[in-house]
Amino acid sequence: MQQNDQQQPTDILPLSIVVPCFNEETGIKELVRRCCGSALSAVGEGYELILVDDGSTDGTWAAITAEIAHRANVVAIKLSRNYGHQVALTAGLAAVRGRVVFVLDADLQDPPELLGAMLEAMRESRADVVYGQRRSRAGDSWFKTTTASLFYRLLEISTDILIPVDAGDFRLMSRRISDIVAQMPERDRFIRGMIASVGFKQIPFPYDRQQRYAGSTKYPLSKMIRFAADAFLGFSMALLRFSSLAAFGLLLALIGVAIYSIYAWASLEVVPGWTSIMISIIVVSLFQLIALSVIGEYVGRIYLSTKNRPLFIIDAIERGTTQ
Ligand code: UDP
Ligand code: MG
């Protein structure tokens, strides 16, 4: 985001393509060939292909710079270390000069050739975002497909924002959307959710996810868990509200137990002291649950404020004209 201040990119191009790359040396040449071919037939020469090297430890940077040597449309950004996919993507979005921004992965699981049809869909429906929605996931393991599907559905029921299911970061978006997202200062980024939160017209584009062209996944289980945590913690207060829900759910049960212990004390044989212990436990636990839910609610609000997301975004303002 600092880059934005330094570079002040000017809007001059019809299209920017942004690709985060982490240890993708074997696929770069093919990636560039297919992206450039697709962009050329969709918009002519007026495009840029921004490749962000996210602190790769293999020959990715060398492969990218080798492309720059003979392709004027390629822009290379090298990050100082590995920041992770979502931050690398943000670095690319902060540097775009195009009026429309196309985002895809470096491994060619999302076919660059769909660009033309997605541009057409954007134009036809006057949408600000055309997001790829996976009909099938050829290259992914059973484990990945199942956990991803579960993840999207759980997220869907636990947030207020409509984050589309089975959609990754593969998408076409207008410059206003990419600028807003690049400027959002939050650190643990879940970009597809952030884009959904911006609003405007966003439409799905069904496609079949391909096999990885080369190399292996750069999202091991640890990164997938981190990513899922960013999504849930960043877009849902469900976990913080757990104690409120528990208090609400247990309220009737605990009151029932309290009544029973008083009844048992009055008319059944109980060990002396049992009733008073039961009542104290119930009162204290209820008090703790309620106190935790109040604190949770405050913490949630503070957390959301620190994200500094725009309070609202205006699509258009129209004024009546005087005669
Ligand atoms: N990636 C990145 N930084 C990372 C991990 C991944 O820039 O720390 C890039 C990677 O090079 C690829 C994209 O993010 O372009 C998606 O990664 P991958 O294809 O490995 O994820 P999968 O498709 O297996 O979920
Ligand atoms: Mg992939």
Side-chain angles (χ1 to χ4, degrees):
M1 278 150 287
Q2 245 119 40
Q3 246 145 1
N4 234 356
D5 310 334
Q6 292 159 14
Q7 292 179 345
Q8 292 295 345
T10 41
D11 300 32
I12 43 166
L13 303 169
L15 172 74
S16 294
I17 305 177
V18 178
V19 190
C21 312
F22 176 59
N23 291 350
E24 304 278 7
E25 63 177 348
T26 41
I28 295 290
K29 202 177 163 68
E30 181 67 2
L31 168 77
V32 173
R33 188 187 68 76
R34 284 179 55 186
C35 283
C36 291
S38 175
L40 190 66
S41 59
V43 299
E45 273 298 336
Y47 70 92
E48 63 177 352
L49 169 60
I50 302 180
L51 301 172
V52 183
D53 179 2
D54 184 20
S56 299
T57 50
D58 66 355
T60 298
W61 182 248
I64 293 176
T65 45
E67 292 300 318
I68 290 188
H70 61 275
R71 292 198 194 255
N73 305 68
V74 179
V75 177
I77 298 178
K78 186 178 190 337
L79 298 186
S80 61
R81 62 169 171 85
N82 178 242
Y83 288 87
H85 177 210
Q86 302 288 293
V87 174
L89 178 51
T90 307
L93 295 182
V96 295
R97 291 176 295 162
R99 281 190 290 275
V100 174
V101 180
F102 186 45
V103 172
L104 70 159
D105 285 351
D107 57 5
L108 293 169
Q109 282 196 281
D110 314 315
E113 291 71 23
L114 297 180
L115 171 64
M118 289 169 86
L119 272 170
E120 193 50 44
M122 180 179 246
R123 236 174 267 134
E124 239 172 48
S125 4
R126 299 172 147 269
D128 270 76
V129 176
V130 179
Y131 55 88
Q133 193 158 41
R134 298 153 185 174
R135 264 191 307 236
S136 65
R137 304 173 61 126
D140 295 323
S141 63
W142 175 88
F143 177 75
K144 183 143 195 159
T145 317
T146 318
T147 48
S149 165
L150 193 70
F151 161 74
Y152 285 119
R153 276 145 192 93
L154 265 179
L155 188 63
E156 190 182 31
I157 53 172
S158 56
T159 98
D160 301 337
I161 292 167
L162 267 182
I163 302 174
V165 296
D166 302 328
D169 289 315
F170 177 49
R171 59 190 62 214
L172 193 63
M173 63 187 130
S174 64
R175 175 64 176 277
R176 60 178 176 176
I177 298 264
S178 72
D179 279 353
I180 291 169
V181 170
Q183 280 155 20
M184 285 183 179
E186 61 197 80
R187 301 193 73 82
D188 302 304
R189 303 173 79 79
F190 179 63
I191 292 182
R192 58 202 76 164
M194 290 158 70
I195 293 177
S197 77
V198 170
F200 298 115
K201 187 166 184 188
Q202 312 205 0
I203 59 165
F205 185 93
Y207 78 108
D208 299 301
R209 196 149 206 242
Q210 308 298 307
Q211 303 265 2
R212 217 175 204 284
Y213 171 73
S216 57
T217 178
K218 305 301 174 308
Y219 260 97
L221 189 61
S222 56
K223 277 192 187 175
M224 272 165 64
I225 292 174
R226 173 75 219 254
F227 186 63
D230 286 346
F232 278 101
L233 297 175
F235 285 87
S236 153
M237 301 264 281
L239 291 174
L240 268 178
R241 296 215 163 110
F242 180 75
S243 46
S244 326
L245 285 175
F248 188 70
L250 286 175
L251 188 69
L252 286 182
L254 288 179
I255 290 175
V257 175
I259 292 173
Y260 173 74
S261 21
I262 293 170
Y263 161 75
W265 168 75
S267 45
L268 301 173
E269 288 255 311
V270 289
V271 182
W274 180 77
T275 309
S276 52
I277 291 176
M278 285 305 283
I279 299 287
S280 334
I281 291 177
I282 290 168
V283 169
V284 171
S285 0
L286 266 181
F287 177 76
Q288 281 181 338
L289 280 175
I290 292 167
L292 268 181
S293 37
V294 171
I295 293 172
E297 201 56 35
Y298 276 100
V299 170
R301 279 156 205 244
I302 295 168
Y303 172 64
L304 285 185
S305 314
T306 58
K307 282 188 174 291
N308 248 338
R309 286 192 191 147
L311 194 54
F312 55 84
I313 297 160
I314 292 177
D315 186 359
I317 297 183
E318 301 202 9
R319 292 181 207 285
T321 44
T322 42
Q323 315 277 320

